Each structure stands twice: as C-alpha cells, then as structure tokens.
Amino acid sequence: MYRSNSKRNELRLIAISLGYKDVTSRIPQVKYDKDNNKITYEHTKDPLDVVTGDIVTYTIAVYNEGQIEGKVTEIIDYLPDGIEFVPEKNPDFVAVRDGDDIQNLSEDDIQEILQEAETTKKYLYQILDNKLIIKYLEEYTLNPITADTDKLDSKEINIVCKVIAIEQEADLVLTNMAEISEYEVEGDIEDRDSEPNYPALPTDLENY
C-alpha cells in the first residue's frame, strides 16, 4: 500500500478521485477577504491510501491573486516514482513528436502536431524523466481581483494517472508536486509566484 499526497508550490494540485471513489471534498475552498485583501485556501491535506493499479485523477488549479489579467502558458508536474501518466485516459492531451523539445517548439511545429492528432486537443505534453511538461493550447485569460470580486478566477486541468509497482518498501508516501513554468501578463511586470522553482521545490521528501 502507498500513500498518495499532493503538495502546493505556486499552484494547487489536488487528488480529486481514486478509482470510482469521488474525493472532490479535497478541492480547496477559496476565501477572499476584500476588506483585508487576504486570500485563504481551505482543504484537507491528508494523504489517500492507494495500491498498485489504482487510477488517480489530479486537478491542477491556477488562481489569479493579482490585480491585472494574466494567464499561465506552461506548467510542470513532477511525478514521483510510483505514479504514471496514462495517455489513453487523458484524451485532451497530445504528445510532442519523438525528438521534439516542447519548450522550443515553433507555432508551426505545434500546428503540425495538432493536424496529425486529427482531433481537438487542449494541451501539449512531453515526459522527461519524472517531469510531465504541459503547454496550454486554448486561449483564455485569468481575470484580476477587483472591488467587485467575490471569488478568484482560476484555470483547472485534470490529469489521470496510475499507481505502479516500484522496487521499494511496501508502505511509501507518493508526493506529487507541480509548478508554473511559463506565464503571460500585460506590461513589464514579474509574477514572483509564477517563477519556476519559487519557492524552491523540496528535495528531502520520501520516495521523491
């Protein structure tokens, strides 16, 4: 038996289903206190018990906490040993071609990949070692916080993975983490929370 956990970096990554079991109660309840300009995310962080062969669906949600429009164009999901991305269960995703570098593709390259896929796709992906690199293909904008804001604007991606056997002890903690690796905002503004490796990804996690 393993323990499947989700850990926040610059965005929220939550396991929302385990096989046929709905665990959407883990989705953060976002509260915005306009008077004090304070944002809190409330959700359980208790790990889920999983076994080899289980299908786990993760939701990666990006929230705009700023006062200008923006969008995330790329995220990286750091899959631990024991968690495997399942292409056939992620129909909105299309893989890059062999030999391609997802972070250096031209728009023409992307269009060729989409034409070869023959069906509409929302995300382009590449797996390098334990990194699942995902590029957004849809046009969208995350709206900013305003005086009339009741909730934060967000963009979510569902990623279906499988628990696989690994050659280690029977009881393990499988910690899945993600970060924003590319983003766009208007003007010459830096978004610290969207910079890669901020805050630094932990290196001392069990089985990671």
Side-chain angles (χ1 to χ4, degrees):
M1 180 173 68
Y2 308 114
R3 304 281 280 177
S4 178
N5 201 4
S6 301
K7 200 169 184 68
R8 174 182 181 261
N9 195 40
E10 287 86 11
L11 69 180
R12 298 280 162 161
L13 188 157
I14 305 295
I16 63 164
S17 73
L18 173 58
Y20 295 102
K21 181 180 179 182
D22 184 352
V23 288
T24 51
S25 59
R26 296 167 59 84
I27 295 176
Q29 300 301 307
V30 184
K31 296 184 179 180
Y32 176 44
D33 181 348
K34 289 188 286 188
D35 294 334
N36 297 298
N37 194 30
K38 182 179 179 181
I39 301 166
T40 56
Y41 299 83
E42 297 180 358
H43 61 94
T44 177
K45 298 180 182 179
D46 296 333
L48 301 173
D49 291 334
V50 296
V51 297
T52 299
D54 278 346
I55 298 297
V56 182
T57 301
Y58 293 97
T59 290
I60 297 178
V62 178
Y63 296 87
N64 186 357
E65 298 180 350
Q67 298 179 338
I68 60 173
E69 290 184 351
K71 68 176 182 179
V72 170
T73 55
E74 181 186 281
I75 59 176
I76 298 176
D77 185 3
Y78 294 87
L79 298 173
D81 291 341
I83 295 291
E84 178 182 73
F85 179 76
V86 186
E88 59 269 24
K89 291 187 177 293
N90 292 276
D92 290 333
F93 289 69
V94 58
V96 299
R97 300 163 299 193
D98 290 344
D100 281 342
D101 178 355
I102 192 171
Q103 295 178 311
N104 288 291
L105 290 177
S106 68
E107 187 59 36
D108 287 342
D109 290 330
I110 294 174
Q111 290 306 314
E112 287 181 9
I113 293 171
L114 294 178
Q115 289 174 6
E116 293 170 4
E118 297 182 348
T119 58
T120 302
K121 303 294 181 179
K122 296 180 180 179
Y123 313 106
L124 184 68
Y125 80 92
Q126 185 172 32
I127 298 176
L128 297 174
D129 297 323
N130 74 314
K131 295 193 299 184
L132 172 61
I133 306 172
I134 303 169
K135 280 193 175 293
Y136 294 74
L137 298 175
E138 293 183 312
E139 285 298 322
Y140 76 96
T141 301
L142 290 175
N143 295 315
I145 293 175
T146 68
D148 299 323
T149 298
D150 292 319
K151 62 180 183 179
L152 302 185
D153 199 8
S154 64
K155 179 69 173 178
E156 297 181 349
I157 299 179
N158 286 336
I159 299 174
V160 182
C161 297
K162 183 178 181 180
V163 180
I164 59 175
I166 54 179
E167 296 179 359
Q168 292 192 29
E169 298 296 329
D171 292 330
L172 298 171
V173 176
L174 308 179
T175 302
N176 192 0
M177 297 181 294
E179 69 174 355
I180 297 167
S181 47
E182 287 184 2
Y183 66 95
E184 294 178 6
V185 294
E186 293 183 0
D188 186 20
I189 297 174
E190 292 185 0
D191 178 11
R192 182 184 65 179
D193 289 339
S194 295
E195 290 297 330
N197 206 34
Y198 178 87
L201 294 171
T203 59
D204 57 352
L205 295 175
E206 182 181 349
N207 188 36
Y208 206 90

